[in-house]
Each structure stands twice: as structure tokens, then as C-alpha cells.
Amino acid sequence: MSAEERLDRARAKLNRVDPAQTAALLSDGALVVDIRPHANRLAEGEIPGSVVVERIVLEWRLDPTGTHRLPGLTENTLVVLVCNEGYASSLAAADALELGLHRATDLIGGFRAWQAAGLPVVPGGTPAVP
């Protein structure tokens, strides 16, 4: 299977959200998880209230039954994953669904779409959840 086919399959499982919807969900208590590399976050900033989780440990932090999950995470937590442009986050969100996060999705267009929409950005470089 090609990377494009894998992306298409992942997105077919998701109810993806645009920047305005993500902002509203964040206001309502959704967990927004930024999986972008440190260099991107440092250069471009971050979504206020987002949680930084490096991709290498993402499955362990998003496993709702795992001992290494994010505090308060349950199978019913609404999680919106964010990458640079909405590709890696789609794959990560599909993985999160398979882990049992029934309300996992991603931000269409990623952080750059958020920024282009004029939504708030704070200086980047926040340390990732260990």
C-alpha cells in the first residue's frame, strides 16, 4: 500500500475538523495534541492550550487503558491531533482510533491552517510530555 493510499484509508475513518471547529472544541474542553517537531513549534509557535506529545511516544500517551497515558485520558476524550499541514496527524488520529480513542480526529490543514485562519498562537518550544 502506498503512503497516499494509507492516508486515504486513515482519513476515511475520521471526522476531520477545520481550524474554527478546532478552536470551538478546544474551548469546550477537547484535548488538542501537537505532534510537530520541536524546531517547527519553536519557529512557528503553538496553539494555546495544546499539549505537546512527540510522535515517537504518541501511542503510549494516547492509549486510554495504558499506564503511560496522558492524565485524565479516557476512551471518550475528544482528541484533535495537529501536525504541520494535516498529513501526519491524519495517520496518527487513525492510530488513536485503533487504540480505542473513539473520538480522535485531526485538524484539516494542520497548524499552518490554524495560523492562516488568524487564530491565536503563542511562542513555541514547550517541552513535550515526557
Side-chain angles (χ1 to χ4, degrees):
M1 175 184 326
S2 73
E4 290 297 325
E5 290 169 327
R6 189 163 177 250
L7 180 64
D8 289 343
R9 284 188 184 188
R11 287 181 172 169
K13 300 175 188 177
L14 303 172
N15 181 19
R16 302 180 76 215
V17 292
D18 66 26
Q21 291 169 310
T22 301
L25 293 170
L26 182 60
S27 288
D28 289 343
L31 176 63
V32 174
V33 177
D34 191 336
I35 62 170
R36 295 177 300 139
H38 182 262
N40 292 111
R41 292 184 286 104
L42 190 59
E44 299 176 51
E46 299 172 4
I47 296 172
S50 64
V51 175
V52 176
V53 178
E54 293 186 4
R55 184 66 183 95
I56 195 167
V57 296
L58 188 65
E59 283 79 6
W60 284 266
R61 301 300 174 257
L62 294 185
D63 180 351
T65 62
T67 57
H68 300 290
R69 70 182 174 271
L70 293 171
L73 185 79
T74 72
E75 64 183 16
N76 294 315
T77 302
L78 176 53
V79 177
V80 180
L81 288 128
V82 178
C83 67
N84 287 327
E85 295 180 343
Y87 296 95
S89 59
S90 291
L91 298 173
D95 288 347
L97 287 174
E98 289 180 15
L99 287 169
L101 283 177
H102 309 294
R103 299 175 69 202
T105 191
D106 77 319
L107 172 58
I108 299 167
F111 177 82
R112 292 181 182 150
W114 174 278
Q115 193 172 39
L119 292 163
V121 173
V122 295
T126 302
V129 172

